[in-house]
Amino acid sequence: EQMGWILRDPMAVSLDTLSYEGFIAGSKAEFGLAKEGYVSSRSGWFSERTACYLASGRPALVENTGFSSWLPCGMGVIAFSSPDEAIQRLDEINSNYMTHCSVARDTAEQYFDAGKVLTELIDCIMHP
């Protein structure tokens, strides 16, 4: 809190979809830590919450679970593997924030658009 971080009641933030959307839209960025199993297995796990931040044009500073092998990182989506790296990446976000926001939205459209994702999923199911 002394460094400007605000902790919010998770129940109030996730009460309904409008509260959740408002919380994300009112955030500067996401800071995400992954469960150790995702990190150590390098499974490529990526949070749907992070996808929501990107869709809202908010950058995401997230612990790398191996998703950097399939998702471009460095602008918009910023992966880190240590506390020191997270601090360094946070400084990078702050120094070029508007570009990070723009790339975040572009990344969401390119990788998480429902029309693209669902079409590919249905195609995989119908034509294994």
Side-chain angles (χ1 to χ4, degrees):
E1 290 175 340
Q2 292 174 347
M3 299 298 293
W5 291 84
I6 300 170
L7 298 177
R8 301 281 304 271
D9 175 7
M11 294 303 290
V13 167
S14 61
L15 185 61
D16 54 42
T17 56
L18 288 176
S19 299
Y20 189 63
E21 183 180 344
F23 170 73
I24 289 175
S27 299
K28 183 174 182 177
E30 179 192 26
F31 175 67
L33 298 171
K35 293 180 180 179
E36 178 57 29
Y38 297 133
V39 175
S40 62
S41 70
R42 305 296 290 166
S43 66
W45 177 84
F46 195 81
S47 169
E48 73 280 359
R49 180 190 62 237
T50 303
C52 290
Y53 271 90
L54 299 177
S56 292
R58 302 296 186 266
L61 176 61
V62 287
E63 190 169 16
N64 196 351
T65 62
F67 59 79
S68 60
S69 68
W70 60 267
L71 184 67
C73 295
M75 294 297 290
V77 178
I78 303 88
F80 69 89
S81 298
S82 71
D84 288 339
E85 188 179 10
I87 292 168
Q88 179 184 4
R89 300 295 182 251
L90 182 59
D91 289 339
E92 292 170 12
I93 292 169
N94 284 326
S95 69
N96 202 1
Y97 182 69
M98 294 310 294
T99 300
H100 278 283
C101 290
S102 177
V103 174
R105 177 63 189 183
D106 291 345
T107 300
E109 290 176 5
Q110 184 174 356
Y111 287 88
F112 302 108
D113 177 76
K116 294 177 183 177
V117 173
L118 292 177
T119 301
E120 186 175 328
L121 178 62
I122 290 169
D123 189 49
C124 286
I125 291 169
M126 299 303 289
H127 308 99

